[in-house]
């Protein structure tokens, strides 16, 4: 799997577009250290003017973390590589620490990249990490199956590329490379690395699994997990393609915060794609970061075939009528928050303010204002009012200053829809349905792919 240095770096990086540079996430461990030097070797040979920035995130969780970051900075300086250390400061959660650390890590990496005008971050996740991830998710799937709560999307493992916050790409070029091969390469070049003690701390799930893979059946389990990931990824992409086609053909957005599905949607022969599309649309309208529960959504889809109904799932009202199936945000738990620039309101609207004076609040429009909206063709007036009433507006005291669906002149804020379940992390497996929903609701289009010479729908086969 690992060839000579030049051959390996060509295999790993030849498809990437490094014209705007790259950030390499480096912890000092063997995987990220190997990534950094392979990447530097490739850029030195093929694009010497490209910017390369190594970034170490000090999570401030261990006594030695600052010293390890300093050691990484010295190593980079010795080899002429620009380096920055960023610290995850502040309080740490008592539960869910690995997930919180991961979120902080990607946020800080994205901030470092954007500060340099770079839109591509590379991480050192390996084939070993991929197998461990799939095996952990398989174990969770097995538990979920007991409760009939299985989903299966996670068995695709880590994606070759992920869009973070709809603005910066995170790529994982080493997913097809074994850790042992990377360590052999570093040893040959006389480059050391840091052993993170948390990697063998059996209080955490991944180290326990890593130890179990060192057993006699470890290689067989590894091979099965990697094969499973490839199969699940292909299935997920194919399902997403079919769901995107249904959204493009049968969904429209007659007003902000309102989606109309043609009645034919309920009678689609491709039930799997229709349920998947519905799960994405419900989460988007409801401003929820996770797809709607599969089992409940499947039951709801079956009920749509029986005719008229009104139900709620994932904070979204599903109002099925003869004229269509209407989705809008339910009226409960709509936030009223102090107006701040770049607020993500209710998980579904990004707000940019031109008026930043004090005393302003972003809150829902409300029913009295929405009643004054002009009816839209083919949309029941009551449905339109309820959808618009849940949209954000800018208020000072009891006075409304702006309304997305109204006729107020020169709005003091801009409102941009977001594709809620994919707004923070969008894997390359889900690009097609995400792009279809973005087009439907008027969200910004996806940024260009980090891979050279590929379109957005077929860019990932070689990733």
């Amino acid at each position: 799997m690992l060839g000579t240095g030049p051959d390996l770096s060509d295999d790993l990086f030849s498809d990437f577009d490094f014209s705007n540079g790259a950030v390499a996430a480096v912890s000092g461990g063997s995987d990220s250290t190997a990534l950094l030097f392979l990447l530097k070797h490739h850029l030195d040979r093929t694009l010497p003017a490209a910017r390369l920035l190594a970034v170490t995130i000090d999570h401030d969780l261990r006594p030695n973390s600052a010293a390890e970051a300093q050691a990484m900075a010295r190593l980079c300086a010795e080899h002429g590589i620009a380096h920055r250390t960023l610290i995850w400061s502040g309080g740490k959660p008592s539960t869910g620490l690995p997930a919180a650390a991961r979120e902080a890590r990607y946020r800080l990496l994205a901030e470092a990249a954007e500060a340099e005008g770079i839109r591509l971050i590379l991480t050192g996740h390996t084939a070993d990490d991929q197998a461990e991830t799939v095996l952990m998710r398989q174990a969770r799937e097995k538990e979920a199956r007991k409760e009939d709560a299985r989903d299966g999307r996670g068995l695709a493992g880590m994606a070759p590329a992920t869009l973070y916050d709809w603005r910066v790409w995170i790529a994982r070029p080493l997913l097809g490379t074994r850790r042992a091969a990377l360590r052999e390469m570093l040893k040959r070049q006389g480059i050391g690395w840091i052993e993170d003690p948390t990697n063998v701390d059996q209080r955490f799930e991944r180290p326990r699994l890593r130890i179990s893979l060192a057993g006699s059946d470890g290689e067989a389990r590894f091979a099965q997990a990697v094969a499973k990931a490839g199969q699940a990824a292909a299935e997920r992409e194919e399902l997403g393609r079919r769901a995107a086609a249904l959204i493009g053909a049968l969904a429209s957005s007659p007003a902000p915060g309102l989606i109309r599905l043609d009645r034919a949607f309920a009678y689609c022969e491709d039930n799997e794609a229709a349920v998947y599309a519905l799960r994405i649309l419900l989460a988007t309208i409801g401003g929820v970061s996770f797809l709607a529960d599969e089992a409940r959504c499947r039951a709801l889809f079956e009920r749509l075939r029986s005719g008229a109904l009104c139900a709620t799932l994932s904070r979204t009202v599903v109002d099925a009528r003869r004229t269509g199936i209407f989705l809008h945000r339910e009226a409960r738990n709509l936030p009223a928050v102090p107006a701040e620039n770049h607020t993500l309101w209710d998980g579904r609207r990004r707000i940019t303010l031109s008026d930043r004076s004090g005393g302003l609040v972003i809150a829902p429009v409300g029913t009295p204002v929405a009643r004054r909206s002009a009816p839209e063709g083919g949309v029941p007036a009551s449905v339109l009012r309820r959808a618009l009433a849940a949209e954000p507006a800018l208020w000072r005291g009891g006075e409304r200053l702006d309304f997305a669906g109204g006729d107020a002149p020169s709005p003091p804020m801009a409102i941009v829809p977001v594709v809620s379940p994919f707004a923070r992390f969008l894997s390359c497996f889900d690009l097609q349905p995400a792009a279809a929903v973005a087009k439907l609701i008027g969200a910004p289009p996806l940024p260009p792919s980090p891979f050279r010479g590929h379109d957005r729908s077929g860019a990932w086969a070689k990733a």
Side-chain angles (χ1 to χ4, degrees):
M1 189 176 294
L2 191 65
T4 64
D7 291 339
L8 176 61
S9 63
D10 283 348
D11 289 344
L12 293 174
F13 305 120
S14 61
D15 283 341
F16 281 92
D17 180 3
F18 291 119
S19 57
N20 290 318
V23 164
V26 292
S27 65
S30 61
D31 304 344
S32 62
T33 301
L35 169 73
L36 177 63
F37 283 94
L38 286 166
L39 179 57
K40 183 180 188 304
H41 174 77
H42 177 76
L43 293 178
D44 285 348
R45 290 191 313 109
T46 62
L47 198 63
R51 289 173 297 165
L52 172 58
L53 174 65
V55 175
T56 300
I57 306 300
D58 178 1
H59 295 91
D60 195 23
L61 295 172
R62 294 182 290 104
N64 294 332
S65 62
E68 291 168 0
Q70 290 169 3
M72 195 68 228
R74 287 194 297 271
L75 180 65
C76 288
E78 290 169 5
H79 292 272
I81 302 170
H83 178 272
R84 286 184 63 190
T85 297
L86 301 176
I87 301 173
W88 180 29
S89 56
K92 307 299 190 289
S94 57
T95 60
L97 183 59
R102 183 169 55 251
E103 171 65 30
R105 180 164 60 252
Y106 286 131
R107 174 179 56 80
L108 291 169
L109 287 168
E111 290 172 1
E114 290 204 301
E116 299 293 330
I118 296 172
R119 299 284 176 169
L120 176 60
I121 299 166
L122 273 62
T123 70
H125 295 103
T126 66
D128 300 77
D129 294 313
Q130 182 73 300
E132 292 159 8
T133 297
V134 172
L135 288 169
M136 287 189 296
R137 292 179 181 176
Q138 274 186 317
R140 292 171 198 158
E141 283 280 306
K142 196 172 295 183
E143 287 300 312
R145 199 172 292 122
K146 297 176 184 176
E147 303 172 5
D148 196 27
R150 57 191 180 276
D151 181 304
R153 297 172 72 251
L155 296 183
M158 291 182 285
T162 299
L163 182 62
Y164 174 77
D165 209 29
W166 212 262
R167 69 185 200 272
V168 178
W169 288 101
I170 300 167
R172 304 176 179 93
L174 302 182
L175 283 183
T177 306
R178 296 298 300 269
R179 177 173 294 117
L182 294 171
R183 291 187 169 192
E184 281 299 315
M185 182 204 74
L186 291 174
K187 289 176 182 176
R188 288 196 303 270
Q189 297 186 14
I191 300 171
W193 63 85
I194 298 166
E195 293 288 359
D196 185 344
T198 60
N199 287 335
V200 293
D201 188 340
Q202 296 189 49
R203 291 176 299 173
F204 299 106
E205 181 182 16
R206 189 177 291 272
R208 292 196 301 270
L209 179 60
R210 190 167 292 167
I211 291 169
S212 76
L213 284 174
S216 59
D217 64 343
E219 285 303 310
R221 292 173 65 201
F222 170 87
Q224 291 169 359
V226 170
K228 179 65 178 177
Q231 177 187 353
E235 292 172 353
R236 180 165 157 182
E237 287 189 81
E238 172 59 18
L239 182 61
R241 181 193 65 77
R242 287 154 34 210
L246 289 177
I247 291 168
L250 299 176
S252 61
S253 182
L258 180 64
I259 288 177
R260 178 189 179 275
L261 295 171
D262 192 280
R263 285 296 314 180
F265 180 86
Y267 302 98
C268 290
E269 293 183 3
D270 190 349
N271 285 9
E272 294 299 315
V275 169
Y276 189 41
L278 186 57
R279 294 176 69 198
I280 296 170
L281 293 174
L282 289 171
T284 299
I285 289 293
V288 179
S289 58
F290 297 99
L291 298 188
D293 178 80
E294 183 181 22
R296 294 180 65 190
C297 198
R298 192 175 299 280
L300 174 62
F301 179 72
E302 292 299 323
R303 290 176 60 198
L304 288 175
R305 297 181 172 183
S306 64
L309 70 84
C310 190
T312 303
L313 182 58
S314 288
R315 308 199 312 181
T316 298
V317 174
V318 181
D319 191 340
R321 305 187 179 207
R322 180 181 54 82
T323 53
I325 302 165
F326 298 94
L327 312 180
H328 62 82
R329 173 71 162 89
E330 67 173 329
R332 293 190 305 163
N333 300 322
L334 290 162
V337 297
E340 296 180 359
N341 204 25
H342 304 303
T343 296
L344 181 60
W345 186 83
D346 198 38
R348 57 195 176 96
R349 299 288 184 268
R350 197 170 297 281
I351 308 294
T352 303
L353 297 175
S354 57
D355 182 347
R356 303 186 189 181
S357 56
L360 299 179
V361 172
I362 303 172
V365 167
T367 303
V369 175
R371 284 199 183 104
R372 301 200 292 268
S373 302
E376 298 281 341
V379 179
S382 61
V383 171
L384 178 64
R385 286 196 300 267
R386 286 195 291 270
L388 293 178
E391 286 297 287
L394 198 60
W395 297 81
R396 178 182 285 116
E399 180 187 3
R400 175 184 60 92
L401 304 183
D402 171 58
F403 172 36
D407 56 1
S410 303
M413 71 176 182
I415 304 171
V416 177
V418 301
V419 185
S420 303
F422 303 129
R424 200 62 167 167
F425 293 99
L426 169 60
S427 85
C428 60
F429 306 139
D430 303 315
L431 291 183
Q432 292 194 57
V437 176
K439 182 178 180 181
L440 172 67
I441 66 174
L446 297 176
S449 158
F451 294 98
R452 194 167 32 224
H454 293 294
D455 61 40
R456 291 174 186 161
S457 61
W460 314 100
K462 297 179 70 177

